[in-house]
Every structure is written in C-alpha cells, then in structure tokens.
Amino acid sequence: MPHKVYFIGAGPGDPELLTLRGLRALQGCHTVFAPTPYEETFAEHLADKAIFVPFEFYFDELLERIRALLQEGPVAFLVPGDLTFYAPFQGLIDTLGETAEVIPGVGTANAASARLKKTLDLPGVCKSAIITSPRTLGDEPGDPKLRDYARPGNTLLIYMNNLPPAELVSELRTGYGRDVPIALVHRLGLPGEEIVRGTLDDIVEKIGDRDFFNIASQSRKPALTLVLVGDTLAAQEDGTWWDYRRENIWQYHDSA
Ligand SMILES: C[S@@+](CC[C@H](N)C(=O)[O-])C[C@H]1O[C@@H](n2cnc3c(N)ncnc32)[C@H](O)[C@@H]1O
C-alpha cells in the first residue's frame, strides 16, 4: 500500500493533548514537519526522526520534498490545534488527495474551554458561539467588523488578534453595548502560559504593558493568544437546566 501523509491534530502545543490515534501515526513516521514550538514541546516523541519546518518551503518545493520522502515511508505533519479552524494545510491536503489522512485533535478552543472550566454556550446566557479573527474579516466596504459579531448572547472566540488591546476593547464595547467578561489565554499548555481574566472595563489595565498580541514585534506571525469574550465566562450554572432536561428530554429516552 502506498505510504500516507498524516496531518495530525497536535493540540495547542502540550503533547499530553495528542490523541491516541495521533500518537500512533506519529510513532510510525520517520519524517515529521513540525511548526515551532512543536519541535521542542514534542521532543520526546521526535527523537531519531528527521524534522522539517513546513513554513520554510514554498508550496511546490514542499510537495516535491513530501513526494520524495514518501518513497521511504509515511510522513507526518503536526497541525497546531487541528484542521478545523485557521489551519494553512488545506492546499496540501487537497493536492495530495487520497495520500493525505487527517487526524482530528484538540483545538485551542477546546483546550481554552477546559482551562477556564467554562462551556462556551449556556442556555439563557449564550445563544451562539462565534469563531472569528480580525485578520480574516476583510477590509472592503461592507465587510463585517468585530463589533457586528459582538452582540449580547454571543460568545466570541477571537483567534490571531492583531488589534492593540484598547482598540480591541473599544470595538467589543461598541458591539456589546455594555461591560462583558473577557479572558486572554496566552501560550496555553506551553511554558510561559498566562491567563488574564477580567471585563471590558478593566482588561486593558490588567494586561498592562505585556505584549500578548505581538503588537510591538516586527514579526507578522500571530501570537499564541486566544481571546474569549461573553457572559458565559462569568455565569454560574445551578441545577435548573439539568432538571429541565431530565424532565423534558432524557426521561423519554429512558422509557423508550
Ligand atoms: C493559525 S491559528 C491556528 C489555530 C489552530 N488550528 C487550532 O485549532 O487551534 C493560530 C492562532 O490560534 C491560537 N492559538 C494557537 N495555539 C495557541 C496556544 N497554545 N495558546 C493560545 N492560543 C493559541 C492563537 O489565537 C493563534 O494566533
């Protein structure tokens, strides 16, 4: 059987969050394309393997390299989080066709929800959770702005933020029309992890002069910081919805 290229959802960076299927695929590959910082954080799983940084190649060079490596054995890519959101590997996967296999992983959104111990929707509090990024909203007239999604009842998960904190907060405040809880999750599961929780009123002060979004840096690479905003972050749930579901949903299942 021809060898495969495995696009392994590697989680936010902590190898403890690799799935068993991802680990098995990785163990079977002698060549791994690993974006920084995965070559360091996954070091114990990468010993004796040839490691390449995928973003050091142009697309055609990369394909040529992959096809040459496939003559020797299967090849792995460690996909930050996983393929579901903001992953740059779609062109490779489509071009490789049947040769590509995608293994799901723990997205940063999942790991952030666990770290904050908050579900991102909550009956009566949050009606929709929206994944977005100011980098991808576009700047054509008529393109939506962050403020258009920042509505009461929406939880926002903001990836790859490139707005300075005061500007981000002003945009969110315009949309929500009031103070709401916000959390910054920086380098989740990695050395240097920091979690800053607050509200739109105090988060800029709480951030202080820490540059969580690489605003001051020359680098155009997105910072490893996820922003979560919405009332669900501070809501406290009691047993009301549990009993409602018990009464109206689950017990019909029990008697079926
Ligand atoms: C190109 S996207 C990759 C998203 C990835 N496919 C996923 O499923 O999580 C990069 C953005 O994901 C978020 N991110 C990725 N890893 C993170 C981490 N360890 N801690 C916090 N945010 C992270 C940040 O918003 C960062 O700018």
Side-chain angles (χ1 to χ4, degrees), residues 68-193:
L69 291 165
L70 280 171
Q71 305 296 317
E72 314 295 325
V75 172
F77 275 72
L78 294 180
V79 178
D82 86 347
L83 184 70
T84 319
F85 302 110
Y86 303 119
F89 300 104
Q90 192 64 53
L92 283 178
I93 292 167
D94 288 345
T95 306
L96 290 165
E98 291 298 308
T99 306
E101 187 166 325
V102 179
I103 298 179
V106 175
T108 308
N110 307 107
S113 158
R115 182 68 177 74
L116 297 172
K117 296 204 263 188
K118 288 292 179 190
T119 190
L120 300 179
D121 76 289
L122 203 56
V125 177
C126 169
K127 295 175 180 153
S128 305
I130 296 176
I131 290 193
T132 187
S133 170
R135 284 193 191 231
T136 60
L137 283 175
D139 44 21
E140 297 292 320
D143 280 344
K145 304 253 179 271
L146 210 46
R147 66 181 67 179
D148 297 319
Y149 298 121
R151 293 267 174 267
N154 290 353
T155 300
L156 295 191
L157 286 88
I158 304 171
Y159 285 69
M160 301 177 291
N161 175 57
N162 56 0
L163 303 175
E167 204 177 310
L168 174 68
V169 164
S170 151
E171 188 67 10
L172 294 170
R173 223 180 193 299
T174 304
Y176 280 108
R178 62 170 166 79
D179 197 20
V180 287
I182 181 168
L184 266 57
V185 177
H186 178 65
R187 293 188 63 84
L188 186 59
L190 296 169
E193 178 184 283

Side-chain angles (χ1 to χ4, degrees), residues 116 156 158 161 165 168-170 172-173 176 179-185 195-204 206-207 213 226-234:
L116 297 172
L156 295 191
I158 304 171
N161 175 57
L168 174 68
V169 164
S170 151
L172 294 170
R173 223 180 193 299
Y176 280 108
D179 197 20
V180 287
I182 181 168
L184 266 57
V185 177
I195 312 290
V196 186
R197 298 170 202 246
T199 71
L200 295 181
D201 279 352
D202 64 15
I203 197 73
V204 174
K206 284 186 171 175
I207 292 171
F213 303 118
L226 183 68
V227 180
L228 300 98
V229 200
D231 289 314
T232 185
L233 297 180

Side-chain angles (χ1 to χ4, degrees), residues 203-233:
I203 197 73
V204 174
E205 196 181 330
K206 284 186 171 175
I207 292 171
D209 55 12
R210 290 173 290 179
D211 186 10
F212 288 127
F213 303 118
N214 284 351
I215 306 283
S217 149
Q218 296 297 318
S219 166
R220 300 195 62 207
K221 290 182 190 159
L224 293 181
T225 306
L226 183 68
V227 180
L228 300 98
V229 200
D231 289 314
T232 185
L233 297 180

Side-chain angles (χ1 to χ4, degrees), residues 122-123 235-250:
L122 203 56
Q236 287 292 319
E237 177 83 335
D238 61 16
T240 311
W241 276 98
W242 182 279
D243 285 344
Y244 175 86
R245 292 183 188 103
R246 174 77 186 90
E247 190 74 18
N248 294 285
I249 304 170
W250 298 332

